[in-house]
């Protein structure tokens, strides 16, 4: 037990507003409950000291595991007010060598990322928690919007006709995007660069084409009124990356890299 210097009295702790934070009277373990300011006081006999503490709200991260085992049917506008229509979703790709569907990989990685982010002090919202729910790109973006997320990450894996192509990349709505560019273009790029940097450092992944791609044709980006980016973690059509992305060791690296990017 803590004892104040120069006295035989044990130290006890208190906070001025238990609606904002609590503190263990004996151990001094402090826990914030909501954003605000409190005074923390430590007493021992006739001795007392008080410090002001600011409790900041947790940053909210929305994670979207791309695609699903149940595909949303029909078209939807590519952006708010747009007459251009696009499929609500598709089944995604499948590992050419592991034969694991993209939607299973993205959910596995998203759940591991959620655990890591929560451990780092973030609040995490998921657009889906299983492979049974059919949800469109617009509906997914609205989950992030309704949560008032500080950032929205769309998690995907890539595929092309050539097995030689590999590398990660980020796709975001830039300042030139007609739907959200003016409000979020700069933040989208900043988020994309941060996730890319963390991901590449943690995984050693190759980067495809510079890694940062401004896009106006991604429905899920165009409807998101929060800082948003889409990561293609690697190519499921490439034997090396397909096999790597299914291993727990590499998934741990990918998760660390994305979490470091958020930090």
């Amino acid at each position: 037990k803590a004892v104040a210097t120069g006295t035989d009295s044990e130290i006890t702790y208190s906070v001025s507003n238990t609606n904002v934070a609590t503190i263990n009277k004996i151990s001094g373990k402090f826990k914030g409950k909501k954003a605000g300011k409190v005074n923390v006081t430590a007493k021992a006999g006739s001795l007392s000291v008080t410090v002001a503490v600011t409790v900041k709200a947790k940053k909210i991260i929305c994670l979207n595991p791309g695609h699903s085992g149940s595909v949303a049917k029909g078209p939807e506008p590519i952006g708010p007010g747009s007459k251009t229509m696009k499929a609500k979703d598709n089944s995604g790709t499948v590992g050419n060598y592991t034969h694991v569907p993209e939607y299973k990989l993205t959910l596995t990685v998203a759940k591991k990322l959620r655990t890591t982010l929560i451990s780092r002090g973030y609040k995490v919202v998921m657009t889906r928690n299983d492979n049974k729910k059919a949800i469109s790109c617009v509906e997914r973006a609205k989950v992030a919007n309704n949560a008032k997320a500080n950032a929205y990450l769309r998690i995907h894996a890539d595929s092309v006709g050539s097995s030689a192509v590999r590398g990660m990349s980020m796709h975001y709505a830039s300042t030139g995007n007609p739907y959200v560019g003016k409000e979020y273009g700069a933040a989208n790029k900043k988020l994309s660069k941060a996730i890319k940097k963390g991901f590449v450092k943690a995984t050693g992944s190759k980067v495809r084409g510079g890694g940062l791609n401004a896009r106006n044709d991604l429905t899920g980006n165009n409807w998101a009124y929060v800082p948003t980016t889409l990561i293609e973690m690697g190519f499921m059509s490439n034997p090396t990356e397909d096999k790597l992305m299914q291993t727990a060791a590499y998934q741990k690296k990918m998760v660390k890299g994305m979490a470091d990017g958020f930090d």
Side-chain angles (χ1 to χ4, degrees):
K1 294 181 179 179
V3 177
T5 302
T7 176
D8 292 331
S9 300
E10 294 178 355
I11 301 172
T12 59
Y13 302 87
S14 63
V15 293
S16 59
N17 188 342
T18 55
N19 290 324
V20 175
T22 59
I23 194 166
N24 185 285
K25 183 179 179 180
I26 304 302
S27 69
K29 185 176 181 179
F30 182 92
K31 183 178 181 180
K33 296 172 66 177
K34 68 176 184 179
K37 294 183 178 182
V38 293
N39 291 324
V40 177
T41 300
K43 290 184 177 181
S46 61
L47 303 178
S48 175
V49 63
T50 298
V51 294
V53 177
T54 299
V55 179
K56 295 182 179 180
K58 288 184 177 181
K59 297 293 185 181
I60 301 171
I61 306 296
C62 183
L63 300 178
N64 173 49
H67 308 293
S68 181
S70 181
V71 181
K73 304 298 184 182
E76 61 188 356
I78 197 171
S82 176
K83 293 182 180 180
T84 301
M85 308 296 285
K86 195 173 180 180
K88 290 182 177 180
D89 196 12
N90 61 65
S91 59
T93 189
V94 177
N96 283 11
Y97 304 88
T98 63
H99 307 296
V100 176
E102 180 185 359
Y103 67 81
K104 287 188 177 181
L105 171 64
T106 60
L107 183 60
T108 297
V109 172
K111 285 183 174 180
K112 291 183 178 182
L113 179 55
R114 174 178 62 186
T115 299
T116 296
L117 290 173
I118 290 173
S119 73
R120 295 191 185 193
Y122 294 96
K123 178 179 178 180
V124 179
V125 176
M126 301 275 283
T127 60
R128 66 181 182 92
N129 291 289
D130 58 48
N131 291 315
K132 300 177 182 179
K133 185 177 183 179
I135 180 170
S136 78
C137 290
V138 173
E139 290 170 332
R140 293 167 192 253
K142 287 182 177 179
V143 172
N145 296 342
N146 292 337
K148 298 181 180 179
N150 297 101
Y152 176 35
L153 179 62
R154 306 175 63 208
I155 302 171
H156 285 260
D158 225 331
S159 182
V160 291
S162 171
S163 62
V165 179
R166 61 185 298 185
M168 66 81 64
S169 59
M170 309 296 304
H171 304 263
Y172 64 97
S174 70
T175 53
N177 183 280
Y179 308 106
V180 295
K182 183 177 180 181
E183 296 88 350
Y184 299 103
N188 293 343
K189 185 174 184 179
K190 182 179 180 180
L191 175 63
S192 301
K193 290 175 70 176
I195 298 292
K196 172 197 165 188
K197 181 179 179 181
F199 189 90
V200 173
K201 183 177 180 180
T203 64
S205 171
K206 291 184 177 294
V207 176
R208 189 186 183 208
L212 297 173
N213 300 292
R215 302 276 297 272
N216 292 332
D217 61 331
L218 298 178
T219 308
N221 288 359
N222 295 342
W223 282 86
Y225 298 116
V226 301
T228 300
T229 192
L230 182 154
I231 185 170
E232 296 283 6
M233 300 180 291
F235 279 81
M236 300 186 82
S237 51
N238 177 275
T240 300
E241 291 189 336
D242 183 26
K243 293 173 185 176
L244 263 180
M245 288 190 290
Q246 299 304 331
T247 66
Y250 193 70
Q251 288 175 3
K252 184 177 181 179
K253 291 179 180 180
M254 292 194 293
V255 164
K256 181 183 185 305
M258 290 183 277
D260 288 349
F262 280 121
D263 284 346

